[in-house]
Amino acid sequence: MPKIVDHDERRRLIIESVWALISRRGLAAVTMRELAAEAGFANGGLAPYFRDKDEILLAAFQYACAATERRLAPVVAESGGLAALRGLCHELMPLDDTRLLEARVVIAFCDRALYDPGMSSAYQATTARWRTLMHSCLAQARLLGEVTTSGPDERIVETLVAVVLGFQANAVLTPAATTPERQLEVLEGLLDSYV
C-alpha cells in the first residue's frame, strides 16, 4: 500500500526549518541543500513542495505574518480603542523569543524583497493590512475620547508603523539597546503623547 503523505505538514516542516536556519545562521545558510538536511529530506526532496529558495522564503514570510495576525486578531477584537492599538503594536514588536524569531525572518525577507517585485508586493500587502487595523483602532480610540491629539491619523499610524517595524530591525541587529522593556517604554511614551 502506498504511503500517505501529508503535503501541508511537509510544507510546514520545511518552513520551520527555514526559520531554524535563519535564526542560527542567517539567510545565507538557507540553501536548498542545507534546508533539505535541516528538514530531514534527501537532496532534491524539497522540489515537490517548493520550486526554489525564493518561494520557500516567501512562504516563511507569509507563515510569520499569519502567526502574527492570528495573535493580534483576538487582541483587537476583545479590547477596542487605545487598548487594541497598544495590543496590536505589542504583537508586531519583538518582545519575546517567538516574535524575535519572526522579526529575523521578516528582516531576511526584506533583503530579498528589495529586488523581487512579488516579494515586495507581499510585504506591502501585509503592512497595508496592519495600517488599516491601526487606523480602525485609532478611530475607535478617538470616538471613545482616549485619543485627543489634533495630529492627523495618517501621521500617527505612519509613526507607529515606523516604530514597531524599526523595533524588529533593531532587536535583531542591536539587541542590547532594543530590549523588550525599552521597546515598551518608547511605545508608551508615544501613545501618551496622543492622549
Side-chain angles (χ1 to χ4, degrees), residues 54-66 69 105-106 109-110 112-131 165:
D54 285 344
E55 189 173 282
I56 293 170
L57 189 56
L58 176 59
F61 171 75
Q62 290 170 328
Y63 188 84
C65 294
E69 290 175 7
V105 171
V106 169
F109 176 83
C110 287
R112 295 299 277 259
L114 288 172
Y115 308 102
D116 184 302
M119 289 187 181
S120 179
S121 177
Y123 183 82
Q124 290 174 33
T126 297
T127 56
R129 287 193 306 274
W130 295 344
R131 283 180 173 90
L165 297 183

Side-chain angles (χ1 to χ4, degrees), residues 10-29:
R10 291 254 174 119
R11 287 176 62 87
R12 189 186 58 73
L13 173 64
I14 294 166
I15 289 167
E16 289 174 356
S17 297
V18 170
W19 283 35
L21 280 173
I22 289 173
S23 175
R24 287 195 321 268
R25 298 175 38 212
L27 182 61

Side-chain angles (χ1 to χ4, degrees), residues 64-80 83-93 99 102 126-127 129-134 137 164-165 168:
C65 294
T68 300
E69 290 175 7
R70 279 192 302 275
R71 285 193 314 268
L72 67 81
V75 169
V76 170
E78 291 168 10
S79 50
L85 184 60
R86 177 180 289 108
L88 191 162
C89 290
H90 287 182
E91 292 307 329
L92 297 175
M93 293 160 54
R99 289 175 277 185
E102 290 170 356
T126 297
T127 56
R129 287 193 306 274
W130 295 344
R131 283 180 173 90
T132 299
L133 274 173
M134 285 183 179
C137 294
V164 298
L165 297 183
Q168 288 184 348

